[in-house]
Every structure is written in C-alpha cells, then in structure tokens.
Amino acid sequence: MQIYVDSANLKEIQHAASMGFISGVTTNPSLLAKEDPSTNIKDLILKIHESVGGHTSVEVISTDTEGMLREADEILSWFPEATIKIPFIPAGLAAVRNLSDRGIPTNVTLLFTANQALIAANAGATYVSLFMGRLDDIGTDSLIALQDTCEIWDAQGLDSQIIAASIRTPIHLLECAKAGAHIATVPYKVLMQSMKHPLTDAGLEAFLKDAAKISM
Ligand code: E4P
C-alpha cells in the first residue's frame, strides 16, 4: 500500500516528502482554506507538486460538468500530470467519463460506500477515495465499507486504485493496509504518530549513550 500525505501545508508536505516514503499528495478546498489567505493557489499547488514529485490530486469546485471540465483544463495547464479530484455527484461522474476518455487521471472523492466506489470505477475513475473518519464520526463502521470495496475489487478485477481517505488515527492506517487498499492518504499528524514508538526512541538513546563509550 502506498502512502500519500493529505495536506495543503507546504512545510508539512516538504518534511513528509523528505523522509522518502511518500508517493503522492491529496489536497481539497478545506485543506487549502487552512493556509495563508494571501497565498496564490496555483503557486502553492505547483510548489506542493514539486516537493512530492509524484501523484498530486487537485479538486475542482464547480458542481456542473462543464465547469468541472473547464477547471480541469486550467489545472492541467499548470502541470499536465495533475490528477483531477472530482466529487461523487452525477455531474461529476459525467466529467470523470469525459476526462477518462481523454486519458486524464481522476480521483473521485466523497465516497462512503462500496456501491459508490463501484459506480465511480465504471465511470472511468483512476482513483476512488473512500472516506474512513467521516463514516466513523456518524457511528458507521468505515472498515466494513473499505473491506466491501476491496472484496469487490478482488472479485471483479477492477483497475481503479482504492484510496483510503479521511484517515484520523494510526489504527486507520493499519486497517487500510490489512484490508488491501492500494493507497492511504494520511494527514501529517497521523503520519508522525504512526512513526513514533517509545522503544525506538529509548533504544536510540541507549545506543548513542553506549556509542560514546567506544571508539569507532
Ligand atoms: C482526501 O482525499 C480527503 O479530501 C480527505 O482525506 C478528507 O479528510 P477529512 O475527513 O479529515 O476532512
């Protein structure tokens, strides 16, 4: 399972990318809205893309197919390898079909059930983003939705890549990998939490202390 960073914060993204295990980044309007309001979005997105060098999902904000396609063309004029992130609404699926027929990668977002993911895949989505945390927030077990999706993908041999999104805890990350998601897109804070172990820190401290007693 690949790991993407789910952020629009350049510092976080640069640090995550510098560690060498990040394959992409996903942004959304809410993540972008958390950044300095004076920031030029195009410049920020380009810097984010440069920092990661891999997959970069950029979300459209129109709710009609024509508007989404116009925005997609604008984003692609910034960098042609962009993945266009599109909400799971009827107008969005029509946009996904159009972009997919033109060979442009799409990431269908705001998916909460395996049926939605299956429909997005049939519209030609390159990636389907199934949200975990937001399902758990309303008392619905997100793992069941993810396991159903992975089971369908295995049974049907579908090409779209399953992204586990809306990850809130290290346990989510573990569950996504066990369920068979192709990718998990993870907030910076959860990445750092997932890396941390007290025995790793204590072990290093002891090694360094002992290393000071010997000559290499
Ligand atoms: C990523 O593609 C999603 O937009 C993101 O993971 C949503 O996360 P949230 O539910 O924490 O906002």
Side-chain angles (χ1 to χ4, degrees):
M1 184 180 77
Q2 290 190 335
I3 300 175
Y4 292 176
V5 58
D6 193 26
S7 173
N9 182 280
L10 196 58
K11 271 197 186 148
E12 288 181 357
I13 293 168
Q14 284 172 336
H15 182 233
S18 74
M19 292 187 281
F21 66 87
I22 296 296
S23 309
V25 59
T26 52
T27 61
N28 67 36
S30 304
L31 291 170
L32 287 163
K34 284 188 199 163
E35 300 309 306
D36 180 350
S38 69
T39 309
N40 176 290
I41 295 296
K42 175 184 167 186
D43 290 349
L44 177 59
I45 297 277
L46 287 176
K47 280 184 192 146
I48 287 173
H49 181 57
E50 264 168 40
S51 307
V52 172
H55 172 113
T56 304
S57 276
V58 187
E59 189 161 340
V60 296
I61 50 175
S62 297
T63 52
D64 62 298
T65 307
E66 246 180 51
M68 290 181 191
L69 293 175
R70 235 189 343 263
E71 279 185 68
D73 285 335
E74 166 82 17
I75 296 163
L76 292 163
S77 77
W78 302 346
F79 63 113
E81 60 277 35
T83 294
I84 309 299
K85 203 171 171 193
I86 297 193
F88 183 80
I89 55 175
L93 293 175
V96 170
R97 169 51 59 203
N98 178 298
L99 293 168
S100 165
D101 288 347
R102 289 158 52 196
I104 296 163
T106 54
N107 173 0
V108 177
T109 188
L110 291 170
L111 300 175
F112 294 93
T113 68
N115 274 344
Q116 289 180 321
L118 178 62
I119 289 166
N122 276 282
T126 320
Y127 302 91
V128 294
S129 283
L130 192 84
F131 281 40
M132 309 288 289
R134 293 191 197 190
L135 270 180
D136 293 340
D137 288 346
I138 60 159
T140 301
D141 187 347
S142 61
L143 186 54
I144 293 174
L146 182 65
Q147 284 170 336
D148 281 349
T149 307
C150 292
E151 190 180 330
I152 290 170
W153 255 241
D154 282 348
Q156 304 288 337
L158 297 174
D159 289 335
S160 316
Q161 298 269 295
I162 301 166
I163 302 183
S166 189
I167 300 291
R168 300 273 169 78
T169 65
I171 301 284
H172 271 157
L173 180 59
L174 185 74
E175 286 175 343
C176 296
K178 282 166 71 178
H182 300 103
I183 299 148
T185 189
V186 185
Y188 177 79
K189 182 179 155 207
V190 180
L191 282 180
M192 300 313 286
Q193 288 171 331
S194 304
M195 291 173 65
K196 191 92 184 143
H197 197 286
L199 291 179
T200 304
D201 295 340
L204 179 63
E205 199 183 323
F207 284 152
L208 292 178
K209 215 167 140 196
D210 290 338
K213 297 177 199 160
I214 56 176
S215 55
M216 297 273 215

